Amino acid sequence: MNREEKVLAFIKDESYVPHTFEEIAALLMVPKSDFNILSDILFNLESRGEILKTKKKRYVSVESSGLVKGVFRGNQRGFGFVVSEGKDDVFISADLTHGALDGDKVIVSITTKGKDGKKNEGEVLRVLEHANEIIVGRFERERNFSFVIPDNHKIFC
């Protein structure tokens, strides 16, 4: 088992509670000379969507913390759904997409569990990978500002 696998196993362990970088380093007995290595490992795991760094700078496992990793499917009115293998779709209102566009890989938190046939509702926490590097559309110029209306109507800007 390499270092990255060990760190991920530590964070995925069912007894794990969210820790800061310094706490993880202390618990794993990482010498200060190897802090850069641990930092790189955490960065790579976070980039791949295996773990997430919270607003309080604590690391959690996406899988074991009830977060959902999936693909955002946008609607021309701004809202969308996150589709994930083996899990129910999650409705994302327009004000909680946080910049996610149609086709983006995202991590979402469930804010409201669906009842009586309704969908779960959630909020995009992080965009892992953008589906579109280039957005094609029609350039509109107004008196004091300009904007682009995307050709793909599922991309709501």
Side-chain angles (χ1 to χ4, degrees):
M1 186 181 284
N2 67 29
R3 291 176 179 176
E4 194 169 280
E5 290 170 341
K6 287 179 183 178
V7 171
L8 184 58
F10 172 74
I11 294 174
K12 281 186 169 184
D13 187 88
E14 61 185 49
S15 64
Y16 176 82
V17 294
H19 292 295
T20 63
F21 174 84
E22 291 79 12
E23 292 168 340
I24 291 172
L27 290 166
L28 295 176
M29 295 182 276
V30 176
K32 284 193 180 197
S33 61
D34 289 344
F35 274 21
N36 287 341
I37 295 170
L38 178 61
S39 179
D40 289 345
I41 289 170
L42 292 172
F43 178 81
N44 290 337
L45 291 171
E46 190 177 7
S47 296
R48 288 199 320 260
E50 299 285 340
I51 64 173
L52 183 73
K53 189 176 183 181
T54 67
K55 290 178 183 175
K56 294 183 178 182
K57 301 192 185 307
R58 296 181 179 278
Y59 292 92
V60 296
S61 165
V62 168
E63 190 178 287
S64 60
S65 62
L67 301 174
V68 176
K69 188 169 34 169
V71 177
F72 181 79
R73 294 294 172 207
N75 180 284
Q76 62 187 1
R77 292 185 285 180
F79 66 85
F81 294 89
V82 172
V83 180
S84 180
E85 269 188 47
K87 297 187 179 174
D88 291 336
D89 295 353
V90 180
F91 172 78
I92 310 293
S93 66
D95 58 331
L96 297 176
T97 62
H98 299 296
L101 301 174
D102 186 58
D104 289 352
K105 290 181 183 175
V106 297
I107 296 175
V108 298
S109 67
I110 305 295
T111 56
T112 306
K113 290 282 187 187
K115 294 179 184 172
D116 301 324
K118 292 186 178 182
K119 297 276 185 200
N120 290 333
E121 295 180 22
E123 173 180 8
V124 174
L125 297 178
R126 173 154 308 125
V127 175
L128 296 173
E129 183 181 325
H130 288 291
N132 304 295
E133 290 184 25
I134 298 172
I135 297 175
V136 178
R138 188 175 73 245
F139 180 76
E140 296 282 332
R141 180 175 289 161
E142 295 293 328
R143 192 170 185 181
N144 295 324
F145 61 93
S146 301
F147 56 94
V148 173
I149 299 173
D151 287 347
N152 179 349
H153 297 291
K154 290 184 175 187
I155 296 177
F156 182 81
C157 300

